Amino acid sequence: MKAGIVGLPNVGKSTLFNCLSNAKAQSANFPFCTIEPNIGVVNVPDPRLEKLEELVNPERVQPATVEIVDIAGLVKGASKGEGLGNQFLANIRETDAILHVLRCFDNDNIVHVDGNVNPIRDKETIDMELQLKDLETAEKKLDKVKRAAKTGNKDAQKEEAVLLTIKAGLEAGTSVRALEFSEDDYRDFVKPSQFITDKPVMYVCNVDEGAAVSGNTYVEEVKEAVKDEKAEVLVLAVGTEADINELDDYEERQMFLQDIGLEEPGSAKLIRSAYKLLNQQTYFTAGVKEVRAWTVDIGASAPQAAGVIHTDFEKGFIRAEVIAYDDYVSFGSEAKVKEAGKMRVEGKNYIVKDGDVMHFLFNV
């Protein structure tokens, strides 16, 4: 699962990507510096993993990860191929969620592609380009579906109605994710089309150090503009995060954070938020060889969770032994949890909960 960082040129995308991945993407004060999409595999910060490590004392620890993609800056006209438009749109189509970076700071030394700072205009520029691309997709599909609908094909008629709703919404400047569909229509006709504006989005307001804790007027404008989108708005001082990242010493980093009033780097919060945006959750395996965080979709069954470790585990699934994370911590070990009768045995229909500590029995 990948989350793509998008935005206009020079809003802080590559600097943010560097903070998240430590893979030093080119970062310079001119548009189109990042041409190939950079991909970073980022560890998901999770204090629960550290606690399990402390209790189990394993040989190794493996955190969950999420893929972050840094995509070239988009400009007006991208849907018609302006700038690196076609490449941008192809790269973003391959991601599962969007981290939309908006410039919410003033700095005369950093050129804004449109001459002045206005995050709402910037957001609308990107939204419009993505909506125009989706409109093109919807119209192409409609041309094909209409022919089948005329022959009396019931599914084609249903799909035609859905596509006409999407077309009307996009023409009115409404992204696909903001339109209402029945579960069946969404599953059968919307999801398979992979509309770009159907992807879940989080807005990252890039502020200066002084606004890192409580934001600024620009951030309030963004929150007001997106209040009907059911999207998270995260405030991040990307330049300051980059400075913190340069410090090798953990204590120095903590002091820096305290000085500006933060308990943890904003990038850690962003990674966790991106993980949720991708509809992901974590379960753990805990043994002396390894304590590990495994990634599964929210709503995954026990056999599906077992399959993340190995396909044979899913095929031959018998049962899962499950300990709630809080019980594991409160009793201090697997043995004591068993003694207290708090370990549960679950079958194929069990839906995994975030934080479950699991052990699978299988037979192939």
Side-chain angles (χ1 to χ4, degrees), residues 289-309:
K289 288 277 184 200
E290 180 182 71
V291 165
R292 182 163 181 162
W294 298 89
T295 300
V296 288
D297 288 345
I298 292 169
S301 66
Q304 286 169 330
V308 173
I309 299 176

Side-chain angles (χ1 to χ4, degrees), residues 53-353:
E53 180 185 8
E54 189 185 302
L55 294 172
V56 179
N57 195 24
E59 290 174 21
R60 61 180 178 269
V61 177
Q62 181 66 49
T65 59
V66 61
E67 276 192 25
I68 305 286
V69 187
D70 178 25
I71 297 168
L74 175 146
V75 291
K76 222 172 270 181
S79 56
K80 303 294 178 205
E82 291 293 323
L84 296 165
N86 291 331
Q87 193 172 342
F88 171 97
L89 293 159
N91 292 336
I92 197 172
R93 202 181 286 284
E94 290 169 14
T95 65
D96 303 286
I98 296 170
L99 308 178
H100 187 159
V101 182
L102 294 166
R103 178 171 167 177
C104 294
F105 66 90
D106 293 305
N107 184 335
D108 293 339
N109 296 320
I110 299 176
V111 181
H112 190 289
V113 74
D114 285 329
N116 66 323
V117 177
N118 183 335
I120 306 308
R121 177 201 57 213
D122 295 354
K123 173 193 175 301
E124 287 169 355
T125 297
I126 296 240
D127 283 352
M128 188 186 294
E129 295 305 325
L130 300 184
Q131 287 162 3
L132 286 168
K133 199 65 187 174
D134 277 350
L135 187 57
E136 193 183 297
T137 303
E139 285 171 341
K140 278 182 186 168
K141 285 189 82 73
L142 259 172
D143 285 345
K144 289 180 186 170
V145 169
K146 274 179 176 171
R147 288 193 289 273
K150 278 177 185 166
T151 67
N153 182 311
K154 291 281 190 285
D155 280 345
Q157 287 169 350
K158 281 185 194 171
E159 185 169 10
E160 182 183 21
V162 168
L163 288 169
L164 286 168
T165 300
I166 290 170
K167 182 173 181 282
L170 291 167
E171 285 172 341
T174 305
S175 293
V176 176
R177 76 176 76 84
L179 299 171
E180 297 286 334
F181 301 100
S182 71
E183 268 183 50
D184 289 350
D185 282 351
Y186 182 78
R187 183 193 62 235
D188 296 341
F189 307 123
V190 183
K191 198 161 193 263
S193 298
Q194 292 186 298
F195 290 106
I196 299 173
T197 65
D198 187 38
K199 295 177 190 294
V201 65
M202 175 165 61
Y203 295 99
V204 182
C205 292
N206 182 11
V207 299
D208 54 26
E209 188 176 309
V213 177
S214 49
N216 56 24
T217 310
Y218 291 132
V219 173
E220 293 311 311
E221 288 171 5
V222 171
K223 285 180 177 172
E224 179 62 26
V226 307
K227 67 175 191 284
D228 297 329
E229 289 190 37
K230 300 172 192 160
E232 186 175 354
V233 176
L234 201 70
V235 178
L236 205 63
V238 175
T240 306
E241 295 280 331
D243 292 341
I244 293 170
N245 226 27
E246 292 299 316
L247 299 171
D248 293 325
D249 184 70
Y250 174 78
E251 300 297 331
E252 280 184 30
R253 289 201 297 273
Q254 291 307 110
M255 281 171 66
F256 196 142
L257 286 166
Q258 281 168 12
D259 285 346
I260 59 172
L262 294 174
E263 289 178 13
E264 65 172 351
S267 53
K269 190 176 177 188
L270 186 141
I271 294 164
R272 284 198 297 272
S273 298
Y275 192 65
K276 282 186 185 157
L277 194 67
L278 290 163
N279 197 43
Q280 304 287 278
Q281 65 178 4
T282 301
Y283 77 85
F284 301 100
T285 51
V288 288
K289 288 277 184 200
E290 180 182 71
V291 165
R292 182 163 181 162
W294 298 89
T295 300
V296 288
D297 288 345
I298 292 169
S301 66
Q304 286 169 330
V308 173
I309 299 176
H310 198 288
T311 49
D312 284 351
F313 283 31
E314 184 171 3
K315 283 178 197 160
F317 179 90
I318 299 170
R319 64 182 181 274
E321 295 173 346
V322 183
I323 302 170
Y325 169 79
D326 288 343
D327 286 339
Y328 203 112
V329 170
S330 112
F331 289 99
S333 73
E334 186 178 311
K336 286 181 180 169
V337 171
K338 281 181 180 171
E339 277 173 31
K342 290 286 186 179
M343 179 187 276
R344 307 189 314 276
V345 174
E346 300 286 0
K348 289 182 177 179
N349 295 327
Y350 177 68
I351 301 301
V352 176
K353 294 181 180 63

